[in-house]
Amino acid sequence: MKARKLVSRIVGLSVGILVMVLVIFGIYYLAQKAYSFGYRVYTEEPIEKEPGTDVLVEVTKGMDGRQIGELLLKKGLIRDAGLFAVQLKLSAYADDIKPGTYLLNTSMTAEEMCGNMASGQEEEEESENP
């Protein structure tokens, strides 16, 4: 009987320690991911170095940060739509994005793109030849 209780306690203690180790590793992993994401919010590099490539983007009325991020991702201007949505939300331009067609560049940072779209300086349509 004593041996059975002793084995039971050792197994219980081992399982408890294993669970604690797994919880600690899980917390470490999540903290590392959160830190990496937070760091990228403020330091994400443009897709290309200057001069980059010009890309026309049309922002429609009612688009939120995530939808704009997905549009920019499809156009090859950013790497992560979710990251862009957070960058926009934390920027001074969060509520200032205006609908329109914008000429953005792959060498622009997310903040520069947000500034362009918030300023409302749309790409001018080419005038018809007389």
Side-chain angles (χ1 to χ4, degrees), residues 55-66:
V55 178
L56 276 177
V57 174
E58 184 177 351
V59 176
T60 58
K61 185 175 183 176
M63 288 180 87
D64 64 12
R66 181 69 182 202

Side-chain angles (χ1 to χ4, degrees), residues 7-68:
V7 169
S8 177
R9 280 189 173 172
I10 291 173
V11 168
L13 184 61
S14 298
V15 169
I17 290 172
L18 180 62
V19 168
M20 287 286 264
V21 167
L22 290 174
V23 167
I24 289 170
F25 277 116
I27 290 171
Y28 175 77
Y29 175 79
L30 291 175
Q32 190 176 29
K33 286 291 188 185
Y35 175 81
S36 175
F37 185 81
Y39 182 78
R40 286 180 58 208
V41 166
Y42 296 103
T43 62
E44 188 75 358
E45 295 289 323
I47 294 291
E48 296 178 354
K49 295 189 185 288
E50 288 191 2
T53 306
D54 289 337
V55 178
L56 276 177
V57 174
E58 184 177 351
V59 176
T60 58
K61 185 175 183 176
M63 288 180 87
D64 64 12
R66 181 69 182 202
Q67 293 168 323
I68 295 170

Side-chain angles (χ1 to χ4, degrees), residues 56-57 100-104 120-128:
L56 276 177
V57 174
T101 303
Y102 299 97
L103 183 63
L104 303 178
Q121 294 178 350
E122 296 183 43
E123 176 65 15
E124 293 181 19
E125 299 288 326
E126 290 185 29
S127 59
E128 294 179 21

